[in-house]
Amino acid sequence: MTVFTASTTAPVNIATLKYWGKRDKTLNLPTNSSISVTLAQEDLRTLTSVATSEEFSKDNLWLNGVEEGIKGERTIACLKDLRRLRKELEEQDSSLPKLSEWGLHIVSENNFPTAAGLASSAAGFAALVVAIAKLYKLPQSMSEISKIARKGSGSACRSLFGGYVAWEMGDLENGEDSKAVEVAPLEHWPTMKAAILVVSDDKKDTPSTTGMQSTVATSDLFQWRIKEVVPKRFEQMKKSIAERDFQTFGELTMKDSNSFHAVCLDSYPPIFYLNDTSKKIIKLIHKLNEQEGKIIAAYTFDAGPNAVIYYEEENVTKVLGLIHKYFHQVPGWEKIADKVNGFEDSTIEFDTDAYKGVSRIILTKIGSGPQETTQSLVNEKGLPK
Amino acid sequence: MTVFTASTTAPVNIATLKYWGKRDKTLNLPTNSSISVTLAQEDLRTLTSVATSEEFSKDNLWLNGVEEGIKGERTIACLKDLRRLRKELEEQDSSLPKLSEWGLHIVSENNFPTAAGLASSAAGFAALVVAIAKLYKLPQSMSEISKIARKGSGSACRSLFGGYVAWEMGDLENGEDSKAVEVAPLEHWPTMKAAILVVSDDKKDTPSTTGMQSTVATSDLFQWRIKEVVPKRFEQMKKSIAERDFQTFGELTMKDSNSFHAVCLDSYPPIFYLNDTSKKIIKLIHKLNEQEGKIIAAYTFDAGPNAVIYYEEENVTKVLGLIHKYFHQVPGWEKIADKVNGFEDSTIEFDTDAYKGVSRIILTKIGSGPQETTQSLVNEKGLPK
């Protein structure tokens, strides 16, 4: 039995200009363009191996060691698109094995706990699509492939690049111009760091797809956000990245996070993702920036209470010094335990109980896009190891 | 010694279409029109007595038993306007005593704890201005007098009327057309009730004047709110009051509260008035309305975490039944203890710990405007009793 396999890793990305609102739910076409920073895969990544063989009668998926099967419409849509592209190759060159007709085995694993509430679907769909594109030896560019990942999970398209990434919303109804592009590679501005404060929450958040639909349908302020606020910010943020201007980048990042949560609150019924702990972290970062007289740290919050704090390496002792002072009790500092003594002792006053609302900290940084890997999650029979 | 005295009471009002943003800070001219419901004075009112005499060399103010003196610029501005109107009368009729030239003693008391965080400044300035207008026997209408109260505290102008009140923002730079008017008297729709949940908070809120200035200066979404959202809502809400249409009135009230808090969150740095308890109450009210299949209760939140829940008398057992079930531990139910057994036993599931974030409940209803009163807080010498 001949089994063809391929493996890839794919990163998590955290938007600094938020995607919120679909103009087409099936195709995952957004109501506005967005921008993200790709995070380092040593801390957060999905590893996906795929296998195909003439002997495989059907598709199957194993996620974090559990056989899930292919259930989701979105996964099916991605597989369909990838097979179509493979088929084009096979039609051009009849010597190619007919992989497009065979079953696919997909085995996927995250190196971080799903329970952390970090959007793992972006990394997951990016890895799935890239692994199969590799398996199929598709000649398309990453931007082209990103359109397929987009159908899996909108923000997944941004995980096809490292560094600073834009998802251009596009105009076309069929979504063929709604794709990810590189704003700047990792090497352009490699000093970007991120601290993720995983905030505990007792309530279940509104799923982002449901939330987006509600905002689009009910928020009066949303129309202004997508028509006027985001388009300007999109250009300004790209410029701030081009100029490595953290002042502007940080301010836009914080403002856009607030704007996104504002239109959630303006939805009917209102949607709340920030909790009291999130708000405390926001205030802490503003206090730090005020004390410094400039923006050295910028928060952003996705559809949940977790805080992602971007900062530049040169300010690590100030930023992590402050966070460590008030959150040293939570796990996640082990990684840099030897550096903690070098932190500045912040004079900023803060709620000494705030750490109780945080379950862990993840210290990471900007990272690269999907990577080739010799690691494989499938054995020679194309089954999970 | 001849001492002239007058006394009045004035009510608290809670906006259903929010005032947020000043176009002129000195004159308290708003960036949008607003609407409120006046609350019953048996539960929440300020009683103010004023006295004047040729013997009084200076103005003085006693607030809740404490001699405060006249310090605030806003109080001084009100007194100046009232004296000017009195002076016009004195110039027309030289037989009138020259009250405009004498010192004023102002003695004021609330029947509710200031600590509750309920906006007492509206009732306070309304009572002060109306009491002096009475003392001076000013012929001006309540709308005219409301322009003076407005200079004391913007929302105070709405406390000059009972029932349903609009504050028309006006266009003029001098503010002469920015005044309160009656949308409908209490008798038009007398069945409106209100339950106030006083929410405990460990942080100090951003003062509303500071907050408004920040929102006007920094929120991108705010411009849309004042230009497009509020003007439409203003007409719709007046219509809903004219038609006693609680469905529409309630929905607009909730949406406008959310919109106001959304532009606070969109300010930079963001302003948060709602806390986790406020959010739980919001969700509880939406659950109730969903279960009923129509809006029978509507929340609104001012610049703080306290919830005001409007409902109609016919739904008292459903609305208070639900609130009592989950908040019976907090004080404030004594008043209707004999009716509690008649409450419906709600089947709605809710956080049984939420009551811990609430310090008291105030059960009240729509009420009338400033009232003549035989009660006086001053003695025959014009000093506090």
Side-chain angles (χ1 to χ4, degrees), chain B residues 260-320:
Chain B
F260 149 51
H261 291 282
V263 298
C264 288
L265 171 48
D266 188 53
S267 306
Y268 185 80
I271 303 161
F272 299 102
Y273 291 119
L274 304 176
N275 67 16
D276 284 353
T277 301
S278 314
K279 290 189 270 180
K280 285 176 191 170
I281 296 167
I282 286 174
K283 288 190 178 170
L284 183 66
I285 297 302
H286 281 289
K287 277 188 179 185
L288 172 63
N289 291 331
E290 274 158 34
Q291 190 184 57
E292 290 297 312
K294 61 180 182 173
I295 295 167
I296 66 165
Y299 55 78
T300 187
F301 294 80
D302 277 346
N306 295 339
V308 178
I309 311 209
Y310 287 115
Y311 60 99
E312 287 184 286
E313 197 160 14
E314 63 183 23
N315 293 312
V316 64
T317 62
K318 282 178 180 160
V319 177
L320 291 192

Side-chain angles (χ1 to χ4, degrees), chain A residues 203 220-221 224-225 229 233 251 254-255 258-259 261-263 265-270 272 274-276 279 282-283 286 290 295 299, chain B residues 203 220-221 224-225 229 233 251 254-255 258-259 261-263 265-270 272 274-276 279 282-283 286 290 295 299:
Chain A
K203 65 172 175 60
D220 294 299
L221 301 176
W224 186 249
R225 167 171 164 80
V229 180
R233 246 174 224 163
E251 181 172 330
M254 292 187 278
K255 282 186 169 176
N258 295 335
S259 168
H261 291 282
V263 298
L265 171 47
D266 188 52
S267 306
Y268 185 81
F272 298 103
L274 304 176
N275 67 17
D276 284 353
K279 290 188 270 178
I282 287 174
K283 288 192 178 168
H286 280 288
E290 274 159 35
I295 294 166
Y299 56 78
Chain B
K203 65 171 176 60
D220 294 299
L221 301 177
W224 187 248
R225 169 171 163 79
V229 180
R233 246 174 226 163
E251 181 170 330
M254 292 187 277
K255 283 187 167 175
N258 296 335
S259 168
H261 291 282
V263 298
L265 171 48
D266 188 53
S267 306
Y268 185 80
F272 299 102
L274 304 176
N275 67 16
D276 284 353
K279 290 189 270 180
I282 286 174
K283 288 190 178 170
H286 281 289
E290 274 158 34
I295 295 167
Y299 55 78

Side-chain angles (χ1 to χ4, degrees), chain A residues 223-291:
Chain A
Q223 293 305 323
W224 186 249
R225 167 171 164 80
I226 62 169
K227 276 182 205 150
E228 294 291 327
V229 180
V230 176
K232 270 185 212 152
R233 246 174 224 163
F234 185 68
E235 298 306 324
Q236 290 166 343
M237 192 176 279
K238 285 199 292 187
K239 184 163 175 280
S240 73
I241 292 168
E243 296 172 353
R244 292 185 282 267
D245 170 6
F246 192 87
Q247 283 298 297
T248 307
F249 175 79
E251 181 172 330
L252 293 170
T253 295
M254 292 187 278
K255 282 186 169 176
D256 201 67
S257 175
N258 295 335
S259 168
F260 150 50
H261 291 282
V263 298
C264 288
L265 171 47
D266 188 52
S267 306
Y268 185 81
I271 303 162
F272 298 103
Y273 291 118
L274 304 176
N275 67 17
D276 284 353
T277 301
S278 313
K279 290 188 270 178
K280 284 177 190 169
I281 295 166
I282 287 174
K283 288 192 178 168
L284 184 66
I285 298 302
H286 280 288
K287 277 188 179 185
L288 172 63
N289 291 332
E290 274 159 35
Q291 191 184 56

Side-chain angles (χ1 to χ4, degrees), chain B residues 77-372:
Chain B
C78 291
L79 299 188
K80 191 177 160 197
D81 278 12
L82 291 159
R83 282 196 164 103
R84 184 176 43 73
L85 295 182
R86 170 67 189 180
K87 196 162 187 69
E88 286 173 16
L89 294 184
E90 292 165 6
E91 283 167 358
Q92 286 160 26
D93 179 352
S94 60
S95 73
L96 292 177
K98 301 285 183 289
L99 304 192
S100 69
E101 296 168 11
W102 304 346
L104 276 165
H105 288 182
I106 305 162
V107 186
S108 194
E109 243 178 45
N110 296 328
N111 66 346
F112 57 96
T114 315
L118 292 160
S120 50
S121 65
F125 272 107
L128 179 143
V129 169
V130 171
I132 298 172
K134 260 180 68 180
L135 178 73
Y136 287 174
K137 300 193 192 305
L138 300 182
Q140 278 79 8
S141 69
M142 274 297 185
S143 270
E144 280 301 304
I145 298 294
S146 80
K147 294 189 273 183
I148 302 177
R150 187 204 75 221
K151 294 185 190 174
S153 168
S155 55
C157 71
R158 295 188 311 242
S159 277
L160 265 66
F161 292 91
Y164 303 84
V165 186
W167 173 9
E168 295 174 342
M169 65 178 287
D171 296 316
L172 300 176
E173 275 188 34
N174 66 7
E176 282 305 303
D177 57 349
S178 186
K179 59 184 194 297
V181 297
E182 184 184 88
V183 172
L186 164 58
E187 297 73 27
H188 167 73
W189 194 4
T191 49
M192 187 70 70
K193 310 269 275 179
I196 305 174
L197 293 166
V198 179
V199 173
S200 330
D201 212 16
D202 52 359
K203 65 171 176 60
K204 204 168 153 43
D205 294 326
T206 308
S208 61
T209 296
T210 315
M212 283 184 199
Q213 295 301 109
S214 171
T215 301
V216 172
T218 66
S219 166
D220 294 299
L221 301 177
F222 175 73
Q223 294 305 323
W224 187 248
R225 169 171 163 79
I226 61 170
K227 277 181 204 151
E228 294 292 327
V229 180
V230 175
K232 268 184 214 154
R233 246 174 226 163
F234 184 68
E235 298 306 324
Q236 289 166 342
M237 192 176 280
K238 285 198 292 185
K239 184 163 174 278
S240 73
I241 293 167
E243 295 171 353
R244 290 184 283 266
D245 169 5
F246 192 86
Q247 283 297 296
T248 306
F249 175 78
E251 181 170 330
L252 292 171
T253 294
M254 292 187 277
K255 283 187 167 175
D256 201 68
S257 175
N258 296 335
S259 168
F260 149 51
H261 291 282
V263 298
C264 288
L265 171 48
D266 188 53
S267 306
Y268 185 80
I271 303 161
F272 299 102
Y273 291 119
L274 304 176
N275 67 16
D276 284 353
T277 301
S278 314
K279 290 189 270 180
K280 285 176 191 170
I281 296 167
I282 286 174
K283 288 190 178 170
L284 183 66
I285 297 302
H286 281 289
K287 277 188 179 185
L288 172 63
N289 291 331
E290 274 158 34
Q291 190 184 57
E292 290 297 312
K294 61 180 182 173
I295 295 167
I296 66 165
Y299 55 78
T300 187
F301 294 80
D302 277 346
N306 295 339
V308 178
I309 311 209
Y310 287 115
Y311 60 99
E312 287 184 286
E313 197 160 14
E314 63 183 23
N315 293 312
V316 64
T317 62
K318 282 178 180 160
V319 177
L320 291 192
L322 175 61
I323 300 175
H324 185 263
K325 179 169 181 180
Y326 290 107
F327 296 93
H328 62 270
Q329 302 91 337
V330 308
W333 295 101
E334 304 79 8
K335 181 179 170 183
I336 56 156
D338 57 326
K339 292 184 195 153
V340 163
N341 285 333
F343 287 165
E344 282 192 12
D345 191 21
S346 174
T347 56
I348 290 172
E349 297 283 322
F350 187 61
D351 179 353
T352 52
D353 279 341
Y355 76 90
K356 292 178 182 167
V358 173
S359 61
R360 70 181 288 189
I361 186 162
I362 299 169
L363 299 172
T364 184
K365 61 187 180 206
I366 192 166
S368 52
Q371 297 292 306
E372 298 258 1

